[in-house]
Amino acid sequence: MNPEKGNNTSTDKKFRALMAKAHEGIVLYDVQGRITYATASSQNILGFEVEEVLGKSGVDFVHPDEVEISSRNLASVLSVPKSSITFRQRLLHKNKHYIWAETTLSNFLHDPDVGGVISNFRDITSQKLAEDELMESKTLLESINQNIKEAIYRNLPDRSFEYVNQAFLEMFRFESLDELNKVTSSSLYVDPDIRQFVKKELLEKKAINNIEAEFKRKDGTTFWGLISSTLITAPDGTEYFDGAIRDITSQKQAEEKLKRSEEFLTSINRNIKEGLYRSTLNKGMVYVNDAFAEIFGYSSAKAILETDVEDLYYHLESRKEIVKELREKGSIRNKEIQFRRKSGEVFWGLMSSYLNKSNAGEYYFDGAIRDITELKKTEHKLIVLNETLKSQNKKLEKRENELNKALQELSDRNFELDQLVYKTSHDLRSPLSSILGLVHVAKLDDSSESKTEYIDKIGASIHRLDDFVKSMLNYAKASRVEVKNEELNIRELIDSSINDLEYLENFDKVSVEVDIKGEEKVNSDKLKLKIILSNIISNAYKYMDLDKEANFLKVSVSHLKKTLKISIQDNGIGIDEEHLPKIFDMFYRGTEKSQGSGLGMYIVKQSIDKLEGKISIESTPGHGTTFTITIPIR
């Protein structure tokens, strides 16, 4: 369709001019929703030339969020001849922004002169923004109304409430406005005279502000409220009381409590023995109680207020330190300070103070001072007495420990003595009986060959006696002799312990390896180290596995800064696991092949304990045994 096509008549020109200046835009849609006609006024609204919109779909100019509803509205109008629908939508302006438009779609497909759907639209952007702003303001006002703690109301004098917010209902404990209006507004007051006073003031002065009144809730309980109200006259002459009530019950209770507290503090201030004060940096003392004046030896509180605050301190630096600490931390608690009385006498005071700030921004110190001079004297006496008691307690504790240790050692020695007597009698009598028997048999046998055999057997018994005597000596040295540290060569000590066993029959069958890491010179007890090494090394030889082709003994030493670590490993017959926990017990033998006294490992453990060291053992039958010894270096 050619836009604005018609005869060049005067009427046509006027119509065209009128349409161009109209505030509404008019377009014509076909059944597919394409634009077939547009007035010049549409350009004034959307900025597009008429030729730019012809043939395009109407939804091309609709905001994406409104395309669906716009299409639905067009379809609705198309489905009913002569129908129309009015709605709002955002339309695209040529400058790439959207305007709000009120659009009316009318179905004129049945009219041969029109043959389409007419869309009348006008720019309502300013109206829409104003409406949105108004709605936002209403929403904000209602939100404030419903969320503030004050009870908001509109009341017709001597009649019902037209509006109350949620806070009003909650404050008076009504469920709804309807329920509230079942009672008279005057019944909400505890005192009818207050109600009449409020009404009179409002009618005369048109407004009241912060009048205290006691109100009654639905359930009969009461509360104190602060009421403010204004008399409003509507255009039709109707008068309203618009107002707000704030629950001040807690405030009233707090005021009453404060009043009682002030009375209580006044009483305390008069009777307390502590000196209370308030001072400032510039003005000095601005308040002291009578007790303060008495502590410092002044005749009255007024007299001390006229004194320079620095004169009250024995050391001026104390005052400076207190001010500095109060500024940094805000308070001090129970600080002991030396003060000076008016007479010049020095006394000890216990001071607590807080830094506060007035409404005018001035800083001041509030505090208390208690005379603790006598307490300090008593405290000094107690300290001296306490130190004396501590010294005596330490001596008693030391003596008690010594006695307990002596008793424990005595108990241990008694037990060991019982064991020793029994074992000694057995281990001494057994070889002696063998010797006596062999001597008797030798006397009866005249054979020279037999005599040699008897002599060898007697010698073996004597060696057993000698080993037992050596064990007794080592036991005595390990348990009786105190630790004596001296510088020694650990390699020489190991070599000596090995060489002492050269008399053993299978001595040469054991391959020996000694590895020392660190200094060979060690500071420790030579005698006890020798006992430890000799006993463990000798067991490696005595209990070698003769069924193995090669037997070895590996001694590894690590000399650390404060520790000596010794590992002694062999591949002998080993020890069954069941024997390991008892291996260090007195007279315990870990294998049936043992021919010793059963004191060796016990003496080793005793010696290591004396050196404050530790020993551990790992052993597997048929594979060998490893002892690990750790001894602190003094």
Side-chain angles (χ1 to χ4, degrees), residues 50-117:
V50 173
E51 289 76 8
E52 290 181 282
V53 301
L54 291 178
K56 292 187 178 180
S57 175
V59 294
D60 291 343
F61 300 92
V62 177
H63 191 280
D65 290 348
E66 278 100 41
V67 167
E68 182 180 349
I69 190 169
S70 180
S71 299
R72 192 163 60 244
N73 287 337
L74 179 60
S76 174
V77 169
L78 286 170
S79 65
V80 181
K82 300 182 182 181
S83 64
S84 65
I85 188 170
T86 300
F87 60 95
R88 291 180 175 186
Q89 61 182 349
R90 282 172 285 180
L91 298 178
L92 180 65
H93 193 275
K94 187 173 182 179
N95 293 337
K96 306 300 183 184
H97 67 271
Y98 286 90
I99 67 165
W100 275 100
E102 184 177 77
T103 302
T104 299
L105 297 177
S106 301
N107 187 345
F108 282 89
L109 286 169
H110 61 283
D111 189 335
D113 292 332
V114 179
V117 175

Side-chain angles (χ1 to χ4, degrees), residues 348 372-386:
W348 279 99
I372 58 168
T373 305
E374 293 302 319
L375 183 64
K376 289 287 287 184
K377 291 178 181 178
T378 305
E379 183 182 275
H380 177 70
K381 292 179 182 178
L382 289 174
I383 290 172
V384 173
L385 180 60
N386 191 43

Side-chain angles (χ1 to χ4, degrees), residues 336-339 346-350 370-373 376:
E336 294 183 356
I337 306 291
Q338 283 186 297
F339 295 99
V346 177
F347 72 96
W348 279 99
L350 194 67
R370 179 158 57 95
D371 188 345
I372 58 168
T373 305
K376 289 287 287 184

Side-chain angles (χ1 to χ4, degrees), residues 568-583:
I568 302 173
Q569 180 184 6
D570 66 59
N571 65 337
I573 62 174
I575 306 170
D576 288 333
E577 186 177 357
E578 62 183 277
H579 297 301
L580 292 178
K582 301 178 182 179
I583 200 71

Side-chain angles (χ1 to χ4, degrees), residues 260-290:
R260 291 197 299 269
S261 296
E262 288 175 346
E263 292 172 351
F264 178 63
L265 287 174
T266 301
S267 176
I268 290 176
N269 206 11
R270 291 172 181 168
N271 297 286
I272 196 171
K273 297 300 181 184
E274 279 75 12
L276 305 181
Y277 70 89
R278 169 171 286 186
S279 70
T280 66
L281 285 174
N282 300 325
K283 300 177 183 177
M285 291 288 183
V286 295
Y287 168 80
V288 297
N289 66 348
D290 292 340

Side-chain angles (χ1 to χ4, degrees), residues 345-364:
E345 178 189 357
V346 177
F347 72 96
W348 279 99
L350 194 67
M351 183 179 196
S352 294
S353 185
Y354 294 88
L355 177 64
N356 293 306
K357 187 177 181 181
S358 68
N359 294 331
E362 183 181 13
Y363 287 96
Y364 55 87

Side-chain angles (χ1 to χ4, degrees), residues 506 509-511 536-554 568-576 590-591 593 617-627:
N506 296 314
K509 292 183 179 181
V510 178
S511 172
I536 296 176
I537 290 173
S538 67
N539 281 349
Y541 281 90
K542 291 177 182 178
Y543 304 112
M544 72 173 67
D545 192 343
L546 297 176
D547 294 333
K548 293 176 181 174
E549 293 182 3
N551 287 276
F552 68 79
L553 169 67
K554 294 180 181 179
I568 302 173
Q569 180 184 6
D570 66 59
N571 65 337
I573 62 174
I575 306 170
D576 288 333
T591 174
K593 298 180 180 180
I617 179 173
E618 295 179 8
S619 186
T620 305
H623 289 81
T625 303
T626 300
F627 286 91

Side-chain angles (χ1 to χ4, degrees), residues 109-141:
L109 286 169
H110 61 283
D111 189 335
D113 292 332
V114 179
V117 175
I118 296 176
S119 173
N120 299 73
F121 62 94
R122 61 188 181 91
D123 186 351
I124 61 166
T125 303
S126 298
Q127 177 185 338
K128 182 67 167 62
L129 292 175
E131 288 175 355
D132 289 347
E133 187 175 341
L134 178 60
M135 180 58 68
E136 185 178 348
S137 298
K138 286 183 176 179
T139 302
L140 177 61
L141 182 60

